[in-house]
Amino acid sequence: MSDAGFSDRVAVDLEYERSQIERATDSILSAAEGQGFTKASRFAIRLAFEEAVTNAFHHGHANLPAQPIRVEYEVSNDAVWIAVEDRGKGFSPEAVPDPTLDENLSLPSGRGLMLIRTYMSEVQHNERGNRLEMLYKRPGA
Amino acid sequence: MASSESRLRITERNTVTCVEFIDRNILDEMNVQAISDEIGGLIDGADSPRMLISFANVDHLTSAALGALITIRNKVKGKEGELRLADIDPQIYEVFEITRLTGLFNIHDSTDDALNAFD
């Protein structure tokens, strides 16, 4: 994943509590706003972060409900980098069906990863599939 | 995280059940589930439900909310009812476009437009 001039990485463990998730979300978005990222950029970052955290708890920790996930992030003038890591056995991103195919349109789930890939500039999983790293580059940077 | 308080404002207009969200953000799964259950109850209680869901107050949603909307749409369709969406913020509309859900839902610019479109 490309280097975007980061300097201060923040790491936090999150339990499946809405207040903890919102605190982390607010911290990331406040830092992004402080660097001048627009409302549209913050919408994209928030959506991707919410989807990544939901996937980590819902899928990664389906059998580990009391375990925290690990969130790391860095915000620079040019980009926002976020990593979300769960303690599950991982998954294969390639195996997730395309939710935009006609036969999948009326299925109620399976859109989170696709939205992350659409809204973020770069997305990658580790080999085990339990850690997602994503980068949002400032448009035009 | 769950709340027994309704997160919806529900009114009847011209035999159409109009649903508005109280929260500006429809994000977390438990909240989405509660909303889905409440709207599902309204559909269950109608023979041929006519429902309008307004997003006038909504700034943000996630795929969990989209999933709930699809479940609601499938329920309404199963009862040969009619579901229309309205007042969707442009950024949220883009999420519907990206996921191709603009082809699954009847979406209108305003509540009045949607009400006029009911059979």
Side-chain angles (χ1 to χ4, degrees), chain A residues 60-116:
Chain A
H61 284 193
N63 298 313
L64 304 165
Q67 295 289 318
I69 63 167
R70 182 80 163 171
V71 168
E72 300 164 43
Y73 67 90
E74 283 190 72
V75 178
S76 76
N77 185 53
D78 294 334
V80 177
W81 173 87
I82 303 171
V84 176
E85 182 170 336
D86 63 61
R87 301 181 184 188
K89 62 183 181 184
F91 79 112
S92 173
E94 295 77 25
V96 177
D98 182 351
T100 65
L101 295 177
D102 286 345
E103 61 265 35
N104 296 332
L105 272 186
S106 60
L107 298 178
S109 62
R111 291 174 180 79
L113 185 55
M114 181 258 192
L115 288 171
I116 293 170

Side-chain angles (χ1 to χ4, degrees), chain B:
Chain B
M1 294 202 284
S3 169
S4 58
E5 281 182 31
S6 175
R7 308 311 307 159
L8 304 172
R9 190 176 296 114
I10 299 160
T11 54
E12 287 286 322
R13 288 176 66 180
N14 304 335
T15 71
V16 174
T17 303
C18 301
V19 178
E20 280 182 281
F21 299 100
I22 293 171
D23 297 314
R24 303 203 73 83
N25 302 312
I26 312 172
L27 301 171
D28 79 277
E29 279 182 293
M30 292 187 77
N31 209 3
V32 168
Q33 188 61 50
I35 287 169
S36 180
D37 289 347
E38 188 171 356
I39 296 176
L42 295 172
I43 297 166
D44 290 341
D47 288 333
S48 183
R50 287 151 54 87
M51 180 170 285
L52 163 60
I53 301 180
S54 167
F55 289 77
N57 302 319
V58 179
D59 291 333
H60 219 290
L61 51 67
T62 57
S63 65
L66 295 178
L69 281 174
I70 291 167
T71 300
I72 289 163
R73 174 257 184 198
N74 294 345
K75 268 191 165 189
V76 169
K77 194 177 176 200
K79 296 191 85 172
E80 297 183 353
E82 203 174 342
L83 173 67
R84 296 183 182 276
L85 311 183
D87 306 313
I88 299 179
D89 172 271
Q91 281 187 312
I92 294 178
Y93 186 79
E94 189 179 71
V95 177
F96 279 83
E97 286 186 313
I98 289 165
T99 51
R100 290 192 62 219
L101 293 179
T102 46
L104 202 65
F105 292 100
N106 293 310
I107 299 176
H108 302 268
D109 287 344
S110 70
T111 295
D112 285 343
D113 285 351
L115 284 170
N116 289 333
F118 276 92
D119 290 336

Side-chain angles (χ1 to χ4, degrees), chain A residues 2 4 21 26-27 31 34 36 39 49 57 70-72 83 93 95-96 98-99 107 115 118 123 128-129 131 134 139:
Chain A
S2 55
I21 296 167
D26 289 345
S27 296
K39 186 182 170 197
F49 181 64
F57 281 118
R70 182 80 163 171
V71 168
E72 300 164 43
V96 177
D98 182 351
L107 298 178
L115 288 171
T118 301
V123 177
R128 178 169 145 189
R131 178 182 172 89
M134 51 194 180

